[in-house]
Amino acid sequence: QVQLVESGGGLVQAGGSLRLSCAASGRTFSRYAMGWFRQAPGKEREFVAGISWWSGGSTRYADSVNGRFTISKDNAKNTVYLQMNSLKPEDTAVYYCAAAARATIAAMIESYDYWGQGTQVTVSS
């Protein structure tokens, strides 16, 4: 029902910024809660940020990125963004966009129904 495609990853110096985009296609996209996850080599996929489906809704961040990353969306464009500032080498991972068939934010992988293919973010020291 929903297809997600991430873009915007790349190589950046520590302290720099990147903006990830997630383009979505499918019906009733605006009624899905959205999330960003990341997975570093040898580690489990972990929650990064989430946003509820409604306009002006709640956002949630992992402690490790709170204050540095910002999740947002443009329902008219069916696009979700992750603005990543003050990047650190430990932020290096493949970043995945995900959609959950629910209105409220979810932090668990099991809550999400659709996933993008991922985009690589590499932060050099």
Side-chain angles (χ1 to χ4, degrees), residues 9-86:
L11 175 64
V12 65
Q13 299 289 327
S17 298
L18 285 174
R19 188 194 194 197
L20 306 183
S21 297
C22 175
S25 60
R27 56 193 292 268
T28 66
F29 172 68
S30 65
R31 303 188 71 87
Y32 285 80
M34 304 297 298
W36 287 95
F37 290 75
R38 67 187 182 187
Q39 187 167 23
K43 293 190 174 183
E44 296 288 314
R45 190 170 299 185
E46 64 177 355
F47 174 80
V48 175
I51 187 167
S52 54
W53 76 267
W54 60 87
S55 180
S58 299
T59 58
R60 180 177 174 181
Y61 300 92
D63 290 342
S64 59
V65 307
N66 191 39
R68 300 188 297 120
F69 292 9
T70 302
I71 186 171
S72 62
K73 63 177 180 176
D74 186 336
N75 286 345
K77 296 181 179 180
N78 280 357
T79 302
V80 180
Y81 306 96
L82 185 67
Q83 179 67 45
M84 309 165 67
N85 298 327
S86 302

Side-chain angles (χ1 to χ4, degrees), residues 101-121:
R102 56 187 286 166
T104 54
I105 297 170
M108 296 192 301
I109 293 173
E110 294 82 1
S111 297
Y112 289 84
D113 302 286
Y114 306 97
W115 294 85
Q117 83 287 352
T119 185
Q120 177 71 47
V121 172

Side-chain angles (χ1 to χ4, degrees), residues 86-110:
S86 302
L87 283 162
K88 306 174 181 179
E90 50 263 44
D91 295 318
T92 296
V94 176
Y95 283 71
Y96 297 90
C97 178
R102 56 187 286 166
T104 54
I105 297 170
M108 296 192 301
I109 293 173
E110 294 82 1

